[in-house]
Amino acid sequence: MSPGLDGRNGTACIGTPRRSGRVVVVGASLAGLGVAAALRVQGFEGEIVVIGAESYTPYDRPPLSKAVLAGRLTTDHLGLPAPSGRGAHWRLGMPAAELDRTARRVVLADGTAVD
């Protein structure tokens, strides 16, 4: 058995993880990409929405601060691989501003909501 979400209030529980529905990941960095990939590895087949303030898909930051700025690499070498299997829907360029736990949604800085 592995930890999952009980689907009611987002609290952790022990049991079989959900296989369908929607998961919203706030943070389109290496960690957010890792969450999306782990969901797929664990058999989640539903929709994954990744929200990020930056306008770019996840990239490897250490080479940016070292090799790219020094001119040894181009930015083409910074992209991180997308999760295998069915991809995620990326909502980039708009930060999350609020988590409405009662309504089970994330409100973005422009006022739109993602359930």
Side-chain angles (χ1 to χ4, degrees):
M1 296 191 151
S2 60
L5 294 178
D6 70 9
R8 290 187 302 274
N9 61 8
T11 58
C13 68
I14 302 299
T16 304
R18 294 184 317 185
R19 301 274 181 214
S20 62
R22 174 187 289 165
V23 172
V24 177
V25 178
V26 177
S29 64
L30 181 59
L33 181 63
V35 168
L39 285 165
R40 292 295 183 227
V41 167
Q42 293 182 16
F44 182 75
E45 297 172 357
E47 181 182 9
I48 299 173
V49 179
V50 182
I51 297 171
E54 290 191 18
S55 300
Y56 307 100
T57 55
Y59 57 92
D60 198 1
R61 285 169 169 76
L64 174 64
S65 64
K66 295 173 179 48
V68 173
L69 294 178
R72 294 189 308 270
L73 284 177
T74 65
T75 55
D76 297 340
H77 294 88
L78 298 179
L80 295 170
S84 61
R86 195 168 152 236
H89 177 73
W90 298 92
R91 298 283 305 259
L92 302 175
M94 183 60 58
E98 176 185 344
L99 172 63
D100 184 340
R101 291 181 59 174
T102 303
R104 298 183 65 200
R105 66 182 181 176
V106 175
V107 179
L108 305 181
D110 69 357
T112 60
V114 180
D115 295 330

